Amino acid sequence: MSATVHRAWAADLDARGLYELLRLRVDVFVVEQASPYSELDGRDLEEGARHFWLAGEGWAAPMLGCLRLLQEPDGVFRIGRGCTARSVRGRGLGRQLVEAALAEVGDAPCVLDAQEHLADLYRGYGFVAAGPTYDWDGVTHLPMRRERA
C-alpha cells in the first residue's frame, strides 16, 4: 500500500483536512472502541500543534491514519491521538506516523499515553513506562516517556 505522510501546523490545516482528521479519530476512538468521551479536547488548534496524517494519492484519497504532536510549556513533546483506519491496520502505517513525529522531536524528551496493547511498539522507539497503567473510558493506557534520544 502506498501512503504519503503529510504534516501541517494547526493554523495551516484547511477545514476539509481538519474535518478528515477529526472524523477518523472519532471513528476509531469513539465508535470502534465504544468509548463515549469528548474527542475534542481543545488542543487541536493550539498555536504549536502539529498534525501528521497518511493518505493515498490524489486529493480525494481517504485519510488512512493520523497523529498529533504538541509541545508542552516545559518543552517536552507530547505524541497523542495516533490512530489508523481499521481497513489498513497491520501494514506499518502507524510506525510511519510515529517515525515522522519523532524526527521532528529530535533529541528532546517526549511523552505519550499508549494504549496498553501498543506499548511494545513505543518501547521500540526508546519509550519506557512512566507510571502505572490506568483506565481511560474503558481502554487501558500506559504513560510512557522517552528522554533525550
Side-chain angles (χ1 to χ4, degrees):
M1 159 163 286
S2 175
T4 302
V5 176
H6 303 268
R7 175 210 177 271
W9 292 96
D12 296 331
L13 279 174
D14 63 12
R16 180 185 176 96
L18 179 60
Y19 177 85
E20 292 298 326
L21 283 167
L22 297 176
R23 182 172 69 171
L24 177 59
R25 289 177 9 195
V26 167
D27 285 350
V28 172
F29 298 132
V30 178
V31 177
E32 181 184 329
Q33 295 180 356
S35 183
Y37 75 100
S38 180
E39 169 53 24
L40 304 178
D41 64 359
R43 302 203 67 188
D44 289 307
L45 297 178
E46 287 181 5
E47 185 177 328
R50 297 160 228 198
H51 296 274
F52 296 81
W53 68 94
L54 289 161
E57 299 302 320
W59 71 270
M63 189 168 291
L64 304 173
C66 61
L67 179 146
R68 179 177 74 188
L69 180 65
L70 303 170
Q71 191 165 12
E72 303 294 4
D74 63 1
V76 173
F77 283 91
R78 175 172 294 281
I79 291 175
R81 300 302 205 261
C83 64
T84 55
R86 176 183 273 179
S87 62
V88 295
R89 287 196 197 127
R91 300 180 188 181
L93 299 179
R95 289 183 183 280
Q96 284 183 258
L97 289 167
V98 171
E99 289 167 6
L102 289 176
E104 194 145 327
V105 167
D107 288 338
C110 186
V111 297
L112 54 83
D113 292 293
Q115 290 188 3
E116 188 175 36
H117 70 278
L118 296 173
D120 284 340
L121 167 75
Y122 296 112
R123 283 186 186 103
Y125 293 102
F127 285 88
V128 297
T133 59
Y134 64 94
D135 182 275
W136 183 1
D137 291 317
V139 179
T140 305
H141 284 74
L142 178 66
M144 301 185 83
R145 181 177 182 95
R146 186 186 82 155
E147 292 301 329
R148 298 189 180 277

